[in-house]
Amino acid sequence: MKTLFKLSACCALLLPAAGLTADFDNARLLTAKCETALALSALPARLRADASVYRLTRDGFELHRKGSGPFTCIVERNHRDALIPQCPDAAGADTVIPGIIMKSEWALSGVPGDERRHRFSEAAEKGTLKAPARSGISYMMSRFNYAWNSRSGELMQIPPHVMSYAPNVSNDDIGGSIELGLGSNRGYPFIIEEGIHGYMTTVVEHAADPGEVIEACKGQVAPTLAEAQERIAGQALVRERIPAALLSRHRTERDLGLDSSRKPEAFREFLSLQDGDVVAAINAGGGYNARLLAALVGDNGKVYASNAKFVQTLFEGINERLSASTRPFPNVSVSSQPDDSVRFPRKLDVAVLNNIYHDLHWQQVDIDKFNASIFGALKPGGLFIIGDHSAAAGSGTSRV
């Protein structure tokens, strides 16, 4: 059973009356498979099978997987582009994890770093947050440990390390040195985050096995710091171009995972859709384009999402899944269409076929009849948009 953990439910007394709320829609949301792999990457591989995992959703952090082992893994966010995997043991599950969730929500609310530290200290003084009851350990051995440096205003990569709980201990107490520990003498201990959730930290030579993250997070998590920084620069441009509609909370988790390869911002610019347009997602499959189009044309627009008979034969239950996934969009109507023609109640501004037109050939659909029905469904000046593979010149239909 999944458990939602929302800061507003446990710690509202720490937020200002005018309160900011965490912008989970604009946070770095990963697919469940990716976030699970990324969170677990903080642990040595031999400890992962029985670990519990939290993940960030549009509704806050949820306990996505309840394990039988002592470790609980989570990807902290100190900025919307930051990903900080860590796995405290049982002593930290009820103490450290709530603090991580609290700090992440403040960061995603836009609360500055100094204010976050002040609020954390207040929570500790009031007893809302507590120190671990015994000594223990938190693993941060991920290769994909990207934290935001508020002083330099850029992402930095934290080397793999392990941390022992050291509540209210300072570097002066142990003779610790961050400079030595991160620099010329790796392995030298130092204290970070002095206070009730302070840690004695030791950098290790090698990161834990990254293979599961590389497989599960293609297009979602950058393999190097340089690529992560490039991604941030690119996303800054994308965010300027993408309207709020593209961030609709009704687009599915799989949609978000596909965005990096489907390029919705370029798609939007190419179509130049207006609020109130009437469009069709023809042979829409599971509905990625239908949901995207529904967000773009707004509540005053209309999207006709359909699948031909051959699509429904190839993918049993596809129209049922299409209907279910577009139900939150009142401007979407789902229908079945013949293989060789389409018909809609209203004339279209745009008709879209994505990664399906080539299938009409090997399905031996009458292409001329099909095209004619599309053009007949369009308003004067309407657009028939085909996104598909590019075959070698002269190959005809031999390689569909």
Side-chain angles (χ1 to χ4, degrees):
M1 181 176 180
K2 296 178 180 177
T3 303
L4 284 177
F5 193 124
K6 298 189 71 174
L7 175 63
S8 56
C10 74
C11 311
L13 70 160
L14 299 173
L15 295 174
L20 292 166
T21 56
D23 190 359
F24 295 125
D25 281 343
N26 286 326
R28 183 81 176 281
L29 296 180
L30 306 173
T31 62
K33 182 179 179 181
C34 175
E35 181 132 358
T36 299
L38 183 60
L40 291 171
S41 72
L43 280 176
R46 64 185 177 83
L47 301 176
R48 295 174 185 172
D50 297 325
S52 299
V53 176
Y54 276 87
R55 66 176 290 245
L56 181 63
T57 73
R58 283 179 167 141
D59 296 312
F61 281 93
E62 69 175 23
L63 182 59
H64 178 66
R65 188 179 96 174
K66 178 62 177 174
S68 59
F71 294 99
T72 300
C73 300
I74 190 169
V75 181
E76 182 178 353
R77 272 78 164 175
N78 73 338
H79 182 271
R80 71 179 182 184
D81 292 306
L83 299 169
I84 313 172
Q86 51 201 287
C87 298
D89 66 7
D94 296 326
T95 55
V96 173
I97 291 290
I100 291 170
I101 291 172
M102 182 181 292
K103 290 185 290 184
S104 294
E105 180 157 337
W106 286 335
L108 296 174
S109 303
V111 177
D114 288 344
E115 174 63 17
R116 295 201 299 269
R117 285 185 284 275
H118 172 70
R119 292 185 183 187
F120 191 91
S121 296
E122 275 194 341
E125 290 174 6
K126 293 176 179 178
T128 306
L129 291 174
K130 300 183 184 300
R134 60 162 174 79
S135 61
I137 192 169
S138 181
Y139 284 94
M140 291 187 69
M141 291 179 61
S142 178
R143 195 180 93 181
F144 310 94
N145 205 341
Y146 301 127
W148 187 259
N149 187 328
S150 58
R151 292 181 177 85
S152 64
E154 62 184 4
L155 209 62
M156 64 179 184
Q157 188 167 22
I158 302 172
H161 57 282
V162 294
M163 308 185 300
S164 299
Y165 307 133
N168 303 310
V169 175
S170 70
N171 276 303
D172 289 340
D173 294 330
I174 66 165
S177 170
I178 294 177
E179 290 74 19
L180 285 174
L182 291 177
S184 60
N185 193 9
R186 289 200 170 194
Y188 196 94
F190 57 93
I191 299 293
I192 61 169
E193 300 187 25
E194 292 182 12
I196 64 166
H197 291 177
Y199 301 96
M200 186 182 297
T201 304
T202 304
V203 174
V204 299
E205 188 68 25
H206 301 291
D209 182 2
E212 293 176 7
V213 177
I214 292 171
E215 176 62 29
C217 298
K218 291 176 181 176
Q220 297 181 70
V221 176
T224 67
L225 177 62
E227 290 176 74
Q229 291 170 334
E230 284 182 16
R231 178 190 178 111
I232 291 171
Q235 284 179 336
L237 294 175
V238 167
R239 288 183 187 119
E240 291 176 4
R241 298 181 186 134
I242 294 184
L246 274 188
L247 302 173
S248 166
R249 63 189 295 109
H250 297 310
R251 295 184 68 226
T252 68
E253 178 183 288
R254 186 169 185 272
D255 291 346
L256 301 176
L258 289 171
D259 280 350
S260 60
S261 61
R262 294 289 186 93
K263 311 296 183 187
E265 71 282 359
F267 184 66
R268 177 190 72 88
E269 288 186 1
F270 180 72
L271 293 181
S272 297
L273 290 172
Q274 304 295 317
D275 184 77
D277 278 351
V278 180
V279 300
I282 299 168
N283 290 336
Y288 174 91
N289 281 323
R291 290 182 291 276
L292 187 56
L293 291 168
L296 291 174
V297 300
D299 292 341
N300 296 319
K302 185 67 181 179
V303 177
Y304 296 110
S306 64
N307 281 306
K309 297 296 185 184
F310 82 84
V311 177
Q312 296 177 65
T313 300
L314 290 171
F315 304 99
E316 184 177 353
I318 191 68
N319 260 26
E320 288 78 8
R321 294 195 294 277
L322 177 60
S323 295
S325 67
T326 56
R327 193 167 292 125
F329 294 96
N331 58 349
V332 176
S333 294
V334 175
S335 66
S336 298
Q337 300 282 355
D339 290 350
D340 59 2
S341 61
V342 295
R343 179 177 294 180
F344 304 105
R346 297 165 61 185
K347 291 288 187 178
L348 309 174
D349 294 287
V350 177
V352 176
L353 278 86
N354 196 32
N355 289 333
I356 193 71
Y357 193 76
H358 65 280
D359 293 297
L360 303 178
H361 292 82
W362 68 267
Q363 287 291 322
Q364 299 183 333
V365 171
D366 184 332
I367 298 296
D368 290 338
K369 180 179 179 182
F370 179 81
N371 289 344
S373 74
I374 298 285
F375 287 117
L378 292 170
K379 298 176 182 177
L383 298 177
F384 179 12
I385 305 296
I386 299 173
D388 217 318
H389 309 285
S390 178
S395 63
T397 60
S398 63
R399 301 187 65 184
V400 296

